[in-house]
Amino acid sequence: GIQVEQSPPDLILQEGANSTLRCNFSDSVNNLQWFHQNPWGQLINLFYIPSGTKQNGRLSATTVATERYSLLYISSSQTTDSGVYFCAVLVTGNQFYFGTGTSLTVIP
Amino acid sequence: DAGVIQSPRHEVTEMGQEVTLRCKPISGHNSLFWYRQTMMRGLELLIYFNNNVPIDDSGMPEDRFSAKMPNASFSTLKIQPSEPRDSAVYFCASSLTPGRQYFGPGTRLTVT
């Protein structure tokens, strides 16, 4: 099956710093989503981004499908950004494959 | 708008008991998914339905697990009998567009 790798696995930032999270996938995909799992366990949609670039406030994402990767940018990080960030890819049908996540801790 | 609703939010049960988890998808969504999240295995898809019909249940661990979707607004995931290794957070998600899923808050199951 498809492999979805995320890096780095863990990241600690000072509040206000910027960061880039990466998601590599081993095969062509039809769709890709980024999620944030907050410290209470809730999975929150960030971006639905099969290709191209999208921005939402301090967050933006870019997917280069031909090169099989996606990037999530977090600018001016805040403590509320802490949690685990997952990318999930759709290969066929309606089945997602999740990466192992990047655990982000933002310290004040 | 209400998101995906799951109940109960927490469940503690003894080994051997039957457990039923419930999910109400977002109104109008035609696909529903059940996931399990553990530290060891991360997020795993257990089963998904399209238009109330099970499409792929290859992720269901074994015969102790069963899922139903009797109508477009309700689904259940049942474990009978439950075992300690079933302890996990179980998420339900729904979608209208393939690849764009919305997750419920999850049910934290503890089997002692």
Side-chain angles (χ1 to χ4, degrees), chain A residues 16-78:
Chain A
N18 303 328
S19 64
T20 301
L21 282 57
R22 188 176 180 100
C23 173
N24 291 335
F25 38 95
S26 61
D27 206 344
S28 299
V29 300
N30 292 331
N31 279 310
L32 185 145
Q33 268 188 278
W34 281 98
F35 294 90
H36 174 215
Q37 187 166 36
N38 64 23
W40 295 270
Q42 178 76 33
L43 278 159
I44 300 164
N45 290 346
L46 296 177
F47 292 102
Y48 167 71
I49 186 165
S51 64
T53 297
K54 291 185 178 180
Q55 180 153 9
N56 184 3
R58 296 181 296 102
L59 273 59
S60 64
T62 295
T63 296
V64 184
T66 54
E67 296 187 21
R68 301 180 183 172
Y69 73 88
S70 183
L71 302 174
L72 178 68
Y73 306 94
I74 304 174
S75 64
S76 304
S77 58
Q78 300 176 358

Side-chain angles (χ1 to χ4, degrees), chain B residues 26-97:
Chain B
I26 293 172
S27 177
H29 283 193
N30 57 5
S31 296
L32 182 140
F33 308 80
W34 283 102
Y35 291 87
R36 177 171 67 177
Q37 186 177 33
T38 61
M39 289 294 293
M40 291 294 292
R41 300 174 68 91
L43 271 158
E44 306 173 275
L45 178 67
L46 300 177
I47 185 170
Y48 80 89
F49 297 83
N50 195 39
N51 294 320
N52 313 339
V53 176
I55 301 300
D56 185 347
D57 65 355
S58 59
M60 296 285 264
E62 48 198 274
D63 292 345
R64 298 184 297 105
F65 286 69
S66 63
K68 293 182 179 180
M69 191 165 186
N71 57 61
S73 59
F74 184 66
S75 177
T76 59
L77 177 68
K78 186 176 293 186
I79 308 172
Q80 166 65 21
S82 58
E83 297 182 2
R85 61 193 168 120
D86 302 330
S87 297
V89 180
Y90 290 81
F91 287 100
C92 176
S94 70
S95 76
L96 178 59
T97 305

Side-chain angles (χ1 to χ4, degrees), chain A residues 1-5 25-29 89 91-92 95 97-98:
Chain A
I2 189 170
Q3 303 298 312
V4 184
E5 297 179 350
F25 38 95
S26 61
D27 206 344
S28 299
V29 300
V89 300
V91 178
T92 60
Q95 183 168 352
Y97 293 88
F98 277 81

